[in-house]
């Protein structure tokens, strides 16, 4: 610890009961993030597109395959496909080449995504579970930075409370407290609503909620209600399960159904999550 402190990777330690808590620095977060990203990129298939690229129509430098009628209010003249336009004119038996015969290749749209990673830091997440979540957050953060895109990552730690993690603090997450999934989803919805671009929420947890910020709702009902409220914002919910209990699976499936656009994934080994995250983003 002393050597790492002198090298700038550790800012200090905190004595807590029977154990010592190490406080890592921003330098340590960057170094570990680079290493984890390199491990995650091994054998990555880059032929398809990731979460931040969609099949939505729009205006961009990415040429699509779809042929559409030329619209001067939407398209520019350099988008016109001359050969296709001539074919269209010839099929009609006309020699004239008029604007009504113009067709363009509809550009693909690359949109900004706001990633919100909700990491359960309750007592049950100790060990490999929280390590897997931290690795995934570090890998995705470095991937976004390296890609140089406009995408944004917001990391939120939740137990019976919720707080957004500042730059350089991901490595210092500590597992303790109860679990309030409803509160976490509420925080994510607020972040997406205040941001520009499509929201992609990763909910990482290992078990059913044991706490509710709403005194009038049970932990289950609170989680389900907040999942349903995600329909109000442009977002997709990706539920990452580290636990496989029947009740927890039922809850996750119901949250996915209520939120509309959602997927549920189970990881028996939390340390595999980082590769899934990077594959989803960079493939």
């Amino acid at each position: 610890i002393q050597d790492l402190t002198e090298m700038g990777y550790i800012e200090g330690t905190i004595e807590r009961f029977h154990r010592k808590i190490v406080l890592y620095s921003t330098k340590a977060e960057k170094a570990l993030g680079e290493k984890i990203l390199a491990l995650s990129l091994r054998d990555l298939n880059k032929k398809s597109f990731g979460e931040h690229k969609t099949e939505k129509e729009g205006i961009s430098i990415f040429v699509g395959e779809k042929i559409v009628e030329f619209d001067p209010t939407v398209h520019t003249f350099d988008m016109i496909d001359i050969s296709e336009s001539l074919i269209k004119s010839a099929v009609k038996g006309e020699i004239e080449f008029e604007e009504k015969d113009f067709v363009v290749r509809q550009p693909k749209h690359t949109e900004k995504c706001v990633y919100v990673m909700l990491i359960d830091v309750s007592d049950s997440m100790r060990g490999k579970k929280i390590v897997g979540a931290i690795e995934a957050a570090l890998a995705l953060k470095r991937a976004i930075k390296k890609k140089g895109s406009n995408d944004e990552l917001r990391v939120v730690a939740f137990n019976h409370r919720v707080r957004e993690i500042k730059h350089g603090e991901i490595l210092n997450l500590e597992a303790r407290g109860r679990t309030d999934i409803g509160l976490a989803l509420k925080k994510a919805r607020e972040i997406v609503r205040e941001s520009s671009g499509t929201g992609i929420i990763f909910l990482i947890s290992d078990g059913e909620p044991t706490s509710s910020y709403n005194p009038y709702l049970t932990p289950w009902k609170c989680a389900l209600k907040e999942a349903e409220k995600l329909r109000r914002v442009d977002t997709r919910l990706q539920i990452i399960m580290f636990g496989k209990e029947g009740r927890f699976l039922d809850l996750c499936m119901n949250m996915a159904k209520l939120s509309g656009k959602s997927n549920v994934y189970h990881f028996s080994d939390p340390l595999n999550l980082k590769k899934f995250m990077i594959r989803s983003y960079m493939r």
Side-chain angles (χ1 to χ4, degrees):
I1 291 177
Q2 184 178 348
D3 290 342
L4 291 174
T5 301
E6 292 175 357
M7 294 169 65
Y9 292 107
I10 292 178
E11 293 184 344
T13 59
I14 299 176
E15 297 288 344
R16 184 171 291 157
F17 302 112
H18 59 284
R19 60 197 178 100
K20 181 180 290 186
I21 305 297
V22 175
L23 298 178
Y24 295 95
S25 66
T26 303
K27 182 179 179 181
E29 180 180 296
K30 180 179 179 181
L32 284 175
E34 291 286 351
K35 179 65 175 178
I36 293 167
L37 177 60
L39 292 172
S40 303
L41 287 173
R42 288 180 180 175
D43 304 319
L44 186 66
N45 182 357
K46 297 183 179 180
K47 292 182 179 179
S48 57
F49 54 84
E51 293 276 13
H52 65 302
K53 293 183 182 178
T54 73
E55 293 296 338
K56 291 182 179 178
E57 297 177 354
I59 300 301
S60 74
I61 61 173
F62 302 97
V63 178
E65 293 78 28
K66 183 179 179 181
I67 299 293
V68 296
E69 297 291 333
F70 174 74
D71 183 348
T73 64
V74 175
H75 306 118
T76 58
F77 281 99
D78 58 355
M79 294 178 183
I80 295 174
D81 190 304
I82 300 297
S83 59
E84 291 290 341
S85 298
L86 285 171
I87 291 172
K88 179 185 176 184
S89 179
V91 168
K92 293 170 61 177
E94 300 175 357
I95 299 177
E96 296 84 2
F97 192 46
E98 302 177 359
E99 185 176 310
K100 61 183 176 64
D101 296 316
F102 291 169
V103 293
V104 300
R105 291 195 179 271
Q106 179 65 55
K108 293 180 179 178
H109 174 59
T110 301
E111 60 183 341
K112 173 185 176 181
C113 281
V114 179
Y115 291 85
V116 184
M117 190 174 292
L118 304 174
I119 301 178
D120 183 350
V121 293
S122 61
D123 281 322
S124 60
M125 285 286 289
R126 294 182 187 277
K128 286 177 67 174
K129 296 175 185 177
I130 195 165
V131 170
I134 289 173
E135 283 186 342
L138 290 176
L140 183 56
K141 182 177 181 180
R142 297 307 303 171
I144 291 174
K145 187 174 182 62
K146 277 187 172 295
K147 208 169 185 69
S149 65
N150 292 323
D151 298 330
E152 181 182 0
L153 174 64
R154 308 278 287 272
V155 180
V156 174
F158 73 95
N159 44 28
H160 54 281
R161 297 187 179 90
V162 65
R163 69 183 181 94
E164 187 168 352
I165 303 304
K166 298 178 181 178
H167 176 66
E169 293 185 351
I170 297 175
L171 280 176
N172 296 321
L173 293 181
E174 184 182 358
R176 56 178 175 172
R178 303 183 302 279
T179 308
D180 191 341
I181 291 178
L183 180 61
L185 293 177
K186 178 176 179 289
K187 178 66 174 178
R189 175 166 51 85
E190 292 171 350
I191 290 174
V192 173
R193 186 177 58 209
E194 295 168 0
S195 304
S196 60
T198 298
I200 299 176
I201 300 172
F202 291 103
L203 172 62
I204 305 172
S205 184
D206 70 330
E208 58 187 287
T210 55
S211 181
S212 172
Y213 78 92
N214 190 329
Y216 302 103
L217 296 175
T218 65
W220 260 62
K221 288 184 177 180
C222 183
L224 293 174
K225 192 162 188 70
E226 289 298 333
E228 187 175 22
K229 287 182 179 179
L230 291 178
R231 290 177 178 266
R232 302 177 183 177
V233 293
D234 184 14
T235 188
R236 299 197 292 274
L237 176 62
Q238 310 283 44
I239 302 174
I240 310 298
M241 297 175 54
F242 284 164
K244 56 181 179 180
E245 294 80 9
R247 279 177 54 85
F248 183 41
L249 177 59
D250 288 343
L251 174 66
C252 291
M253 297 302 290
N254 283 319
M255 286 194 297
K257 183 178 180 179
L258 288 170
S259 65
K261 296 180 288 185
S262 182
N263 297 100
V264 179
Y265 304 93
H266 174 259
F267 289 83
S268 55
D269 185 355
L271 300 183
N272 290 331
L273 178 58
K274 58 182 177 292
K275 200 151 193 172
F276 166 80
M277 289 286 186
I278 299 305
R279 185 177 293 113
S280 298
Y281 181 74
M282 298 192 69
R283 68 173 185 258

